[in-house]
DNA sequence: GTCTATACGAGGATAGAC
DNA sequence: GTCTATCCTCGTATAGAC
């Protein structure tokens, strides 16, 4: 029964499956960034991918699971970014680079945003082990950098690291980026720089104290 | 036909009407703060107020109009706060006080939050003249303060005032406040102070450079 | 594992009596 | 202008053929 070909065939099928699921998650990612979880409909997802709605449910059991998978992929991407930063960079430089990537992704319309508190997904996310694991690793990495930066004086040591961690995470859904983009007065790169600067230096200090 | 009593009766009826509408807006305000526009249902609003859902529509034509009225009342409240600040305060102090009020209101669960971009309400808000008028006045007031603060060196003059304006507005829906509150390690007052400080001084500088 | 067709519930809005 | 009862659309999820 052509057992010798079975593995190859199986692998090919799996690749097709993976490819399809990647396409689905791409669509979900885009729609989550555009409209958020509550306003994203399964019909839209299916239409964007170009498949029937029922087929979605062969890959993902529910809308919540779809969002959770998308968010997990995003966190994995963020972890890759953190891992790819130059070792010689200071902790503060790494944190800035991550914020830069975050805002940029947001501006590209590729940052899925889930209502911070409330909504049904938050519980779904917490029950989704892969998501929680990625989140834990990211938090640990950032926490390490923050502590180092505080120890070296790059970051204020009398501000709780917790606050800094949340502040950095919050850049992913910062409406300031949307407002500035809508205004049209700044390029994406300028917007990113402005937000990075405001996040770390605030609004009182000078940009480059000579 | 008791024409002499008509005005009084009319006034009394109007007061009753106003009272009822205030109660409705209180409920809407609370629900918008808890769940946001999309997840707030008219059934919930009616149940919270303690009236039938159909009665809501005698006062407000649609869910959008309800949200717009609630947001307008919030802006009016904000304008009152700005007007009540001590004249002797510096522009920067006034801006900080407003952010403080904003975050505090948010923490109290009384800050209605509408998804920054997207969603049907944004267009509804822009077509609602009272809202736009209040918003314009608030923006103008803040813009004046920002310019003064930049001129006196209290705020950085090489950061566009637009960015500062949006940054201040964004504190009304800052998820950092929710995260910190959920963590339980800080009191509401501490959270407010932390956010005000982060907003204006950022994360690099010291709190009180001696 | 993809499709068409449909069940089912939720929620915005209205009808019509009082 | 308040109520009860209802309409109707939309959106999640499933059934069942191929």
């Amino acid at each position: 029964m052509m057992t010798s070909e079975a593995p190859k065939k199986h692998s090919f099928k799996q690749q097709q499956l993976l490819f399809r699921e990647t396409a689905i998650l791409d669509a979900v990612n885009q729609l989550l960034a555009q409209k958020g979880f509550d306003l994203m409909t399964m019909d839209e997802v299916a239409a964007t991918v170009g498949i029937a709605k029922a087929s979605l449910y062969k890959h993902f059991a529910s809308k919540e699971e779809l969002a959770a998978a998308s968010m997990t992929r995003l966190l994995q991407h963020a972890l890759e970014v953190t891992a790819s930063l130059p070792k010689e960079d200071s902790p503060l430089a790494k944190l800035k680079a991550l914020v830069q990537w975050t805002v940029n992704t947001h501006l590209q319309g590729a940052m899925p945003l889930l209502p911070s508190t409330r909504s049904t997904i938050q519980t779904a996310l917490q029950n989704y082990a892969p998501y929680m694991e990625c989140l834990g690793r990211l938090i640990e990495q950032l926490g390490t950098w923050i502590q180092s930066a505080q120890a070296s004086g790059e970051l204020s040591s009398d501000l709780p690291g917790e606050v800094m961690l949340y502040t950095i995470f919050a850049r992913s859904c910062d409406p300031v980026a949307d407002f500035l983009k809508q205004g049209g007065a700044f390029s994406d790169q300028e917007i990113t720089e402005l937000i990075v600067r405001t996040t770390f230096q605030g609004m009182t200090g000078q940009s480059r104290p000579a």
Side-chain angles (χ1 to χ4, degrees), chain A:
Chain A
M1 289 188 187
M2 299 195 298
T3 48
S4 64
E5 277 189 30
K8 196 177 182 183
K9 217 177 172 183
H10 188 63
S11 168
F12 178 70
K13 267 193 181 176
Q14 277 192 338
Q15 277 203 355
Q16 264 194 329
L17 192 79
L18 196 66
F19 185 76
R20 172 60 56 90
E21 292 189 349
T22 301
I24 293 174
L25 287 183
D26 286 342
V28 170
N29 206 67
Q30 174 193 335
L31 288 169
L32 280 181
Q34 284 174 7
K35 340 183 46 164
F37 179 76
D38 298 318
L39 269 59
M40 179 187 80
T41 72
M42 296 299 266
D43 293 82
E44 282 173 324
V45 176
T48 305
V49 181
I51 62 175
K53 182 166 59 167
S55 301
L56 283 181
Y57 286 91
K58 296 290 179 180
H59 295 272
F60 300 92
S62 68
K63 187 183 173 185
E64 279 77 16
E65 190 171 310
L66 210 45
S70 174
M71 289 300 294
T72 304
R73 210 180 54 162
L74 174 79
L75 285 187
Q76 284 168 344
H77 201 165
L79 282 169
E80 289 168 15
V81 170
T82 65
S84 74
L85 293 175
K87 308 254 191 236
E88 61 269 25
D89 279 8
S90 72
L92 178 60
K94 287 177 181 167
L95 289 171
K96 283 186 179 179
L98 187 64
V99 170
Q100 190 174 352
W101 171 81
T102 302
V103 176
N104 232 16
T105 305
H106 181 181
L107 286 170
Q108 305 296 323
M111 178 62 74
L113 45 88
L114 308 186
S116 52
T117 53
R118 43 201 149 262
S119 190
T120 48
I121 15 159
Q122 290 303 330
T123 57
L125 284 180
Q126 286 168 7
N127 296 334
Y128 192 66
Y131 173 83
M132 292 306 285
E133 200 234 323
C134 285
L135 183 61
R137 285 204 286 151
L138 190 58
I139 287 176
E140 193 183 335
Q141 177 63 88
L142 294 195
T144 304
W145 287 344
I146 289 173
Q147 282 185 357
S148 301
Q150 282 183 318
S152 70
E154 284 184 316
L155 283 181
S156 170
S157 51
D158 60 350
L159 193 64
E162 216 176 336
V163 175
M164 301 192 184
L165 182 67
Y166 295 154
T167 299
I168 290 173
F169 270 113
R171 285 320 120 222
S172 62
C173 59
D174 193 348
V176 174
D178 298 301
F179 290 148
L180 289 176
K181 180 152 191 153
Q182 197 171 1
F186 302 98
S187 70
D188 283 9
Q189 193 187 342
E190 287 169 334
I191 294 174
T192 302
E193 285 173 7
L194 286 167
I195 291 182
V196 169
R197 185 196 150 180
T198 311
T199 301
F200 288 89
Q201 267 87 42
M203 306 191 291
T204 53
Q206 298 300 309
S207 151
R208 296 177 178 279

